[in-house]
Amino acid sequence: MRRAVIAFTAFLGGLIFLLAGPAHAGTADCQGLKGTLKLQGQPVNGAKIAVTTESGQPVKEVTSNAQGTWDVQVDKPGKYKVTLDVSSLPKNADVRGGNNVRTPTVYEGNCSTVLFALQPKGAPGQQPADTDGEITFWEQAAQLTFEGLNLGLIIALAALGLSLIYGTTGLTNFAHGELVTLGAILAYAFNVGFGLHLIPAAVIAVAVAGVLGYLQDRFFWGVLRKRGTGTIAMMIISIGVALLLRYVFLIFFGGQNEAYAQYTAQPGVEIGPITAAPKNFVAMGIELTVLIIVGIALLRTRTGKAARAVADNPALAASSGINVDRVIRIIWASGGAIAALAGIMLGLSQSLKYTMGQDVLLLIFAGVTLGGLGTAFGALVGSLVVGLFVQVSTLWVPPELKSVGALVVLIIVLLVRPQGILGRRERIG
């Protein structure tokens, strides 16, 4: 077994090296400046950026696209001046610190990334006011709470599948984030590549992801379990699978940000102090519906009761006549489909990229651990707490550090209640 694991690791490392080589080689063709403008995770479209040389000679003026990205290619390396036109930003947005000028250096054959940190007017460091269109502290708190619930529901969908898989197999699957990315990319392929509307494209993507989840356990994880591979070894293998899938996505999808053909740019709807696109309300309704259906299925259906029995004691469940392998494969299929749906919803709320699952994987694990490992309802509660703290914490900390708040809450809760919010105490030893 040790030789098999070493051989697999060597093979996986060589394959990743081969896949990574051409992906990074393509970046040498870029020589210029690029950036992405986002306000609280949402891309900013239509912002004007002017690029000049260090001596003041104009190079090019561009506008950010629907994904908030922009780029300017330059002929010569050197120092440049990049100016963001503040008047072209949304009326509730401003540049943190008030400095809208950057002076990056472009090196030969490389693209330099220019960062402009945007924040709502009335955020820390500014004086909130009730006039001139600025947002007060309480309006911003209400807006961030809504966005936290939206993020929490997306995390809950992804965490639900991860928690079910852990509960029935004991596998801590670090490749679960790539299942989230897979759903978003499949929907994008059917939507943009085949020209289907996003709704049928999303349905097909979820179905395909569910089938792939079933096949993944049938021909890979299930084989490892039958060979007696330990959970620690399988966890390490899942890290390799995550890296492999990530670079496969990079090769076929590319490193750029993309968006679906529909529901990309929608005017905001104001409901009291909350402003959000209609797609966000619909997405939250879908997420809640799916979570409720899965919860009822776990409690009332025969398969759901069998899954809970397998999670509680696989040997006892098998001795009582339950087909453990069949239940686990149903869980893998369901987990893959739910993770794909989470990826589609995440792609609706932000731009698509090949690392989108990896970016939220830490929050997914935080939600599962906070709620209680292996408990589906605990994953839901923990994810909502994580989503709320991630967004609301930006009232006091910079958005770049917003994930820190969720991790602090995770540490505090686990110090007080190690088994998580809804987990059960277990005797060790």
Side-chain angles (χ1 to χ4, degrees), residues 155 158-159 162 176-177 180 357 360-369 383 386:
I155 296 173
L162 180 65
H176 197 77
V180 174
V360 298
L361 183 62
L362 180 62
L363 300 180
I364 294 172
F365 274 116
V368 171
T369 308
S383 299
V386 168

Side-chain angles (χ1 to χ4, degrees), residues 10 13 50 62 91 105 110 113 150 205 209 241 255 260 272 278 340 355-356 370 380 385 408:
V62 294
K91 64 178 183 178
T105 300
N110 288 310
T113 301
N150 188 15
V241 172
Y260 295 121
T355 59
M356 58 189 298
L370 183 62
L380 170 60
V385 173
V408 169

Side-chain angles (χ1 to χ4, degrees), residues 203-271:
V203 173
I204 296 174
V206 170
V208 172
V211 173
L212 292 176
Y214 177 89
L215 296 176
Q216 191 177 161
D217 184 75
R218 174 67 177 81
F219 296 104
F220 187 64
W221 298 112
V223 175
L224 291 176
R225 282 197 309 273
K226 287 182 179 179
R227 291 181 177 180
T229 307
T231 55
I232 300 297
M234 292 176 69
M235 181 188 71
I236 296 173
I237 292 173
S238 75
I239 297 174
V241 172
L243 292 172
L244 173 63
L245 291 176
R246 197 173 307 151
Y247 280 104
V248 169
F249 295 154
L250 175 60
I251 290 174
F252 290 99
F253 183 75
Q256 74 284 352
N257 292 351
E258 297 291 350
Y260 295 121
Q262 290 84 33
Y263 312 117
T264 300
Q266 290 183 322
V269 176
E270 293 188 9
I271 301 179

Side-chain angles (χ1 to χ4, degrees), residues 15 49 236 313 346:
L15 187 58
I49 298 98
I236 296 173
N313 192 321
L346 186 62

Side-chain angles (χ1 to χ4, degrees), residues 76-424:
K76 298 179 180 179
K79 202 166 188 178
Y80 289 85
K81 181 180 178 182
V82 182
T83 305
L84 173 62
D85 186 358
V86 180
S87 62
S88 64
L89 295 174
K91 64 178 183 178
N92 65 328
D94 205 351
V95 183
R96 183 178 299 115
N99 182 13
N100 65 326
V101 179
R102 301 289 185 269
T103 54
T105 300
V106 177
Y107 298 96
E108 185 175 357
N110 288 310
C111 262
S112 296
T113 301
V114 182
L115 300 177
F116 288 101
L118 303 182
Q119 66 180 10
K121 290 184 178 178
Q126 299 180 354
Q127 294 296 325
D130 294 323
T131 59
D132 299 330
E134 294 190 0
I135 302 176
T136 66
F137 175 84
W138 296 110
E139 288 174 337
Q140 188 181 0
Q143 180 70 31
L144 291 174
T145 300
F146 173 81
E147 294 175 0
L149 288 173
N150 188 15
L151 176 63
L153 288 172
I154 294 174
I155 296 173
L157 280 177
L160 182 60
L162 180 65
S163 183
L164 289 173
I165 291 172
Y166 176 84
T168 52
T169 66
L171 170 64
T172 305
N173 185 18
F174 280 88
H176 197 77
E178 274 54 52
L179 298 182
V180 174
T181 307
L182 177 65
I185 292 179
L186 284 175
Y188 176 83
F190 289 118
N191 177 228
V192 177
F194 293 95
L196 295 177
H197 191 275
L198 181 57
I199 295 177
V203 173
I204 296 174
V206 170
V208 172
V211 173
L212 292 176
Y214 177 89
L215 296 176
Q216 191 177 161
D217 184 75
R218 174 67 177 81
F219 296 104
F220 187 64
W221 298 112
V223 175
L224 291 176
R225 282 197 309 273
K226 287 182 179 179
R227 291 181 177 180
T229 307
T231 55
I232 300 297
M234 292 176 69
M235 181 188 71
I236 296 173
I237 292 173
S238 75
I239 297 174
V241 172
L243 292 172
L244 173 63
L245 291 176
R246 197 173 307 151
Y247 280 104
V248 169
F249 295 154
L250 175 60
I251 290 174
F252 290 99
F253 183 75
Q256 74 284 352
N257 292 351
E258 297 291 350
Y260 295 121
Q262 290 84 33
Y263 312 117
T264 300
Q266 290 183 322
V269 176
E270 293 188 9
I271 301 179
I274 298 172
T275 303
K279 64 180 180 181
N280 291 332
F281 296 103
V282 176
M284 292 178 71
I286 295 173
E287 292 153 9
L288 274 173
T289 302
V290 172
L291 290 170
I292 291 172
I293 290 174
V294 173
I296 294 175
L298 286 173
L299 293 175
R300 300 294 179 87
T301 66
R302 185 175 180 179
T303 302
K305 294 177 181 178
R308 289 160 53 204
V310 172
D312 187 60
N313 192 321
L316 184 59
S319 65
S320 63
I322 296 176
N323 189 334
V324 174
D325 286 336
R326 177 177 174 273
V327 171
I328 291 176
R329 283 168 193 158
I330 292 175
I331 291 299
W332 265 99
S334 304
I338 296 171
L341 179 61
I344 296 170
M345 296 303 170
L346 186 62
L348 271 176
S349 63
Q350 62 182 38
S351 57
L352 282 75
K353 55 182 179 179
Y354 78 100
T355 59
M356 58 189 298
Q358 174 195 0
D359 294 341
V360 298
L361 183 62
L362 180 62
L363 300 180
I364 294 172
F365 274 116
V368 171
T369 308
L370 183 62
L373 288 170
T375 60
F377 297 106
L380 170 60
V381 175
S383 299
L384 288 176
V385 173
V386 168
L388 282 172
F389 268 87
V390 164
Q391 294 299 101
V392 176
S393 64
T394 58
L395 287 169
W396 301 280
V397 301
E400 292 82 2
L401 300 176
K402 62 183 181 181
S403 297
V404 174
L407 299 180
V408 169
V409 173
L410 174 64
I411 293 171
I412 294 174
V413 171
L414 292 183
L415 286 174
V416 177
R417 189 176 172 84
Q419 68 270 32
I421 297 175
L422 298 183
R424 293 178 303 174

